[in-house]
């Protein structure tokens, strides 16, 4: 499992992120850092569009191709 802090600045970033997630075999979730009970499936554009832009979130990738997460999601990492 890989966990990293991410942030979306524009709606276009969310759409691009979702498209990348849909191509992965791993489970990709975006978790609200202020309330860890709120978890959004990274492959769901409807769910992702509920994220407030500019808010730091936690990316959680778990599965067969999780090692590619750093490379695929580098544009969204905050650390």
């Amino acid at each position: 499992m890989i966990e990293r802090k991410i942030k979306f600045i524009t709606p276009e970033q969310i759409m691009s992120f979702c498209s990348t997630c849909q191509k992965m075999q791993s489970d990709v979730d975006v978790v609200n850092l202020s309330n860890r009970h709120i978890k959004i499936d990274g492959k769901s554009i409807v769910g992702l569009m509920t994220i407030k832009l500019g808010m730091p979130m936690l990316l959680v990738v778990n599965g067969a191709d999780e090692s590619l997460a750093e490379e695929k999601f580098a544009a969204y990492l905050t650390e």
Side-chain angles (χ1 to χ4, degrees):
M1 180 183 337
I2 294 178
E3 295 184 353
R4 298 288 182 268
K5 287 184 182 177
I6 60 171
K7 187 186 299 185
F8 302 107
I9 305 301
T10 66
E12 291 78 15
Q13 283 185 322
I14 292 175
M15 293 187 317
S16 175
F17 175 84
C18 185
S19 177
T20 301
C21 291
Q22 291 171 349
K23 295 173 187 169
M24 295 186 69
Q25 294 176 13
S26 297
D27 289 331
V28 182
D29 293 310
V30 178
V31 180
N32 187 327
L33 285 170
S34 61
N35 184 352
R36 296 211 176 217
H37 296 296
I38 299 174
K39 182 167 54 170
I40 301 166
D41 183 354
K43 298 178 182 182
S44 168
I45 190 67
V46 174
L48 290 172
M49 286 303 205
T50 65
I51 294 173
K52 182 178 177 183
L53 295 176
M55 176 182 237
M57 304 292 281
L58 182 67
L59 170 69
V60 181
V61 183
N62 189 15
D65 54 357
E66 67 185 31
S67 61
L68 301 174
E70 292 277 346
E71 174 187 331
K72 291 193 176 283
F73 302 118
Y76 315 105
L77 299 177
T78 60
E79 293 182 353

